Structure formats: structure tokens, C-alpha cells
Amino acid sequence: MDLNGANMFVSVVQAGSLSAAAEKINVPLPTLSRRIRELERELKVQLLERSSRGIKLTEPGSRLYEYASRGIEALNEAQQAVMNDEARLKGRLRLSLPPAFDPWWELLGAFQERYPEITLSVFSTERRVDLVQDGIDVALRVGDIVHESMVARQMIRYRHVLVAAPALLERLGEPKSVADLRGYPCAVWTSDFNARSVWRLGEQVFEPKVVLNTNDYALLRNRAVAGQVLTELPPFLARSEIADGRLRALLPEHPMPEQMINLLYPSHRHPSSIVRAYLDFCLEQVSSHLRSGVGMTN
């Protein structure tokens, strides 16, 4: 198989279209298109489905991309090692993070201070990206991992906390039990606006009086600090507000369910030295950036 053609194929998949790949690798579009067709003829399979919206991998194309991307990545690492760049960990790391994950941005800043020659490309989205199709090296995911083709490195466990501003509590009183929450305007996080909102508080299930639902934790935090709602937040997003008195943690004797943060990478791809450095750094530094304050379990 033509190695150069395989390299171009991998570039097309990672760029998402022939035109974007042509611009990225500085190859004329007709030349790139011809080389992909030649590769398909050589392998006697269709690798890409082309449309006005871009390209989509066929099943044979997905298999080729898995192996070709791994091989090309290994060759690039070998080239770096020969040129003595490996010790400096020079290259690009492509990450996926949920929005409003403020402490992780602080962690990424510390990572680049240690490895200044690593360029970060961070895709912030609630969508569960396809790591292979979207060209992501490592994705941060919250919750249980069931994807068999992924390797999960667990970082931390935590529980959301109920919070409200002192002003709201002065107006409505501080709840002493789960039943007391019925009198409070509540804001909830959701990714499905048609779903019924419930909070699991210890052994009890409570359906809050919802005045706002959103998939943006930053908005929940801002509305809570303003004294407008009672809400739930990941503890690391409420840490400073609780510490300085702008929010107060409620009903600690009724803890919310445990959550997990995992870092995922494809199981078929041997992690590069950059990916390994990132995973190890996160495991080392997660304590100082996330594991302090109410709601952290280990």
C-alpha cells in the first residue's frame, strides 16, 4: 500500500473533508482526490462516501483509518525520537471537554507550563464525540463508561451539592429536610428538556419545582449566586463561592449520587508519549485542582 496515499487518507478523515485536508497539508485538491481514488482502486474497496456536506467513512474505511492512523502516529514518534525531540514532548494534543469545566482549564494551563512545546486543541461540547471520526486523542467524560472500544482512566469520584445564596435562604428559610425543598424555586441541569427532573437525595427522590433547566452549569451557578434559585452543582464549580460565603451547601446528610470523571482514549490505539504524559499529569494534579472541598469522595 502506498504510504503517502495512506497518510493523505488519514489527513482527509481528520480534517473532515477533502478541501479542508488539501488546505491543511498544502496539496492541490485535484491531486488529493486522485490519490484517494488510487488508494481505493489499489485496495478494491470504497473508503469514503462523499457528499455536499463532506465525507463519511465506510466500514472498510473505518478499519483502514484505525490501523493507518496508528501506524502514521508511530512513524511520527519515531521521527521525533531520531531528531531528539521526544525528550521535549513536542507536538499537538487534541482534547474533548464538557463546557464550564473551569478547574480543568486551570489544569491544562499547568500542563502547558510543564510541556510548553505541546500545542493543545480543545473541543468543548456536551456531545459525546466519536474519538476516531473527530480525531480526538483524549476525551473527558462524566459518568459510567460502557464503550468497549475505549480505555477509561478514572480520575476522580464526586457528588453534586445542593446550594443556595444566603439572600434566598434569608427570604425563604434554610431547608432542614428534603420535604422542605418544595417551597423553593429550583434550577436543574439537563440534556433532555422533555425529561422529568428529579434529584436523588440520599434514600429519597425529590421532584423540584423547576423554574429553569439548562445544560450550562455556569448559568446555574450565576443564578444561584444572584439569589434567584436553589440548584445542584459539581463541588469544584461551587468551591470558591462556598468558601467566600456567596453560596451555602445544603442538606449534606442527604448526599446526591456519586459521579465519576474518566479520561478516554481508543483501545486500538497505543497511547503516544504525549497522551501518556497528559494522562499521568492529570492523575498527579487532579487532587490540587478538583479534589478539595465539599462533595469530593476520593
Side-chain angles (χ1 to χ4, degrees), residues 25-39:
I25 64 177
N26 197 27
V27 171
L29 180 58
T31 300
L32 180 60
S33 182
R34 174 175 55 80
R35 296 301 296 272
I36 297 298
R37 288 196 302 270
E38 289 173 353
L39 184 61

Side-chain angles (χ1 to χ4, degrees), residues 45 82 212 258 264:
V45 294
V82 169
L212 169 69
E258 208 170 48
L264 270 65

Side-chain angles (χ1 to χ4, degrees), residues 221-275:
R221 182 175 56 192
N222 291 343
R223 292 289 295 272
V225 168
Q228 298 171 339
V229 295
L230 182 152
T231 193
E232 59 163 321
L233 291 174
F236 41 83
L237 294 184
R239 181 172 55 195
S240 62
E241 286 78 7
I242 292 174
D244 63 22
R246 286 181 292 161
L247 289 177
R248 192 177 303 164
L250 305 172
L251 301 180
E253 66 277 14
H254 298 284
M256 303 192 85
E258 208 170 48
Q259 305 264 13
M260 286 188 297
I261 292 178
N262 293 281
L263 294 181
L264 270 65
Y265 62 91
S267 60
H268 60 75
R269 185 186 303 167
H270 182 70
S272 69
S273 55
I274 291 177
V275 168

Side-chain angles (χ1 to χ4, degrees), residues 1-234:
M1 180 171 54
D2 178 17
L3 180 59
N4 195 30
N7 196 5
M8 290 183 179
F9 167 72
V10 169
S11 296
V12 169
V13 175
Q14 292 179 345
S17 71
L18 287 161
S19 57
E23 182 178 350
K24 180 180 177 181
I25 64 177
N26 197 27
V27 171
L29 180 58
T31 300
L32 180 60
S33 182
R34 174 175 55 80
R35 296 301 296 272
I36 297 298
R37 288 196 302 270
E38 289 173 353
L39 184 61
E40 290 177 322
R41 283 197 296 268
E42 179 185 355
L43 297 175
K44 297 182 175 58
V45 294
Q46 183 181 359
L47 300 172
L48 301 172
E49 294 178 357
R50 302 160 178 82
S51 71
S52 59
R53 292 183 293 179
I55 55 97
K56 182 180 179 182
L57 283 170
T58 63
E59 185 175 344
S62 293
R63 288 199 299 272
L64 177 63
Y65 177 75
E66 289 179 7
Y67 287 98
S69 61
R70 180 171 28 168
I72 289 169
E73 186 173 26
L75 285 173
N76 289 336
E77 283 196 9
Q79 182 181 17
Q80 286 185 352
V82 169
M83 298 173 63
N84 293 321
D85 282 341
E86 188 67 14
R88 292 185 294 164
L89 287 180
K90 181 178 181 180
R92 184 161 71 111
L93 181 63
R94 296 156 297 203
L95 306 174
S96 172
L97 298 180
F101 239 66
D102 298 354
W104 213 266
W105 289 106
E106 298 171 6
L107 187 149
L108 292 181
F111 177 76
Q112 285 196 292
E113 287 182 4
R114 180 176 296 185
Y115 301 107
E117 295 190 74
I118 294 179
T119 300
L120 296 181
S121 297
V122 184
F123 183 39
S124 180
T125 178
E126 286 292 348
R127 179 174 66 86
R128 296 212 160 195
V129 298
D130 184 314
L131 273 67
V132 174
Q133 287 272 33
D134 294 319
I136 300 297
D137 296 312
V138 186
L140 187 152
R141 294 274 172 83
V142 177
D144 294 329
I145 304 300
V146 296
H147 205 309
E148 294 180 356
S149 66
M150 296 293 157
V151 176
R153 180 84 72 90
Q154 184 179 303
M155 292 289 113
I156 197 169
R157 291 176 178 268
Y158 66 96
R159 300 176 189 273
H160 284 199
V161 291
L162 287 182
V163 294
L168 182 68
L169 299 177
E170 288 174 10
R171 188 168 77 249
L172 299 178
E174 183 163 345
K176 303 300 182 183
S177 68
V178 173
D180 290 344
L181 296 175
R182 292 193 181 93
Y184 294 81
C186 297
V188 300
W189 187 96
T190 183
S191 58
D192 181 357
F193 297 117
N194 296 314
R196 173 170 163 257
S197 296
V198 295
W199 285 336
R200 299 190 181 277
L201 300 166
E203 299 298 320
Q204 301 183 52
V205 176
F206 174 74
E207 186 168 352
K209 175 186 175 183
V210 177
V211 298
L212 169 69
N213 55 20
T214 178
N215 64 346
D216 186 342
Y217 280 119
L219 176 59
L220 293 179
R221 182 175 56 192
N222 291 343
R223 292 289 295 272
V225 168
Q228 298 171 339
V229 295
L230 182 152
T231 193
E232 59 163 321
L233 291 174

